Amino acid sequence: MRLNEQEIVNAICLHISERKQISPNQVNVELMWDEDLGYSAEVQAEGRSQILIEANMLEAIERYVLKQYDQRVFRSQIHLDIEDEMYADIHD
């Protein structure tokens, strides 16, 4: 299974909205990659900005796959990568 960049953003929006008990529409996400720091996401919600590290992103993807696809996956099965855009490959 492969999640595209928009699905990763959706996963993070849903994850943050559940944690903060707000609407997913109130969450803005910008995905980032840095050679030294790896994958991260800048999240803006409730007038505040925070940076999610890769582990947080993987947690959001785990929950998204469970809720949207009814499949239980673990972080070790998720691999983030970038070609033209960021994507997540999920291996069995």
Side-chain angles (χ1 to χ4, degrees), residues 16-34:
I16 296 297
S17 69
E18 287 174 1
R19 294 184 87 150
K20 295 186 177 286
Q21 298 182 352
I22 59 175
S23 166
N25 295 336
Q26 294 176 278
V27 181
N28 291 318
V29 175
E30 180 181 341
L31 301 177
M32 301 180 291
W33 182 82
D34 180 89

Side-chain angles (χ1 to χ4, degrees), residues 20-83:
K20 295 186 177 286
Q21 298 182 352
I22 59 175
S23 166
N25 295 336
Q26 294 176 278
V27 181
N28 291 318
V29 175
E30 180 181 341
L31 301 177
M32 301 180 291
W33 182 82
D34 180 89
E35 192 170 314
D36 296 324
L37 302 174
Y39 297 96
S40 60
E42 182 176 6
V43 177
Q44 294 187 353
E46 298 183 307
R48 302 185 74 158
S49 179
Q50 72 183 86
I51 301 293
L52 299 184
I53 62 172
E54 183 174 350
N56 303 122
M57 295 171 66
L58 297 179
E59 179 184 359
I61 292 168
E62 281 180 51
R63 294 176 56 119
Y64 179 81
V65 171
L66 181 61
K67 288 186 176 208
Q68 300 298 316
Y69 296 100
D70 198 28
Q71 292 184 11
R72 179 77 173 125
V73 298
F74 299 96
R75 287 178 206 177
S76 60
Q77 296 173 272
I78 304 168
H79 175 74
L80 295 175
D81 207 347
I82 295 178
E83 284 177 5

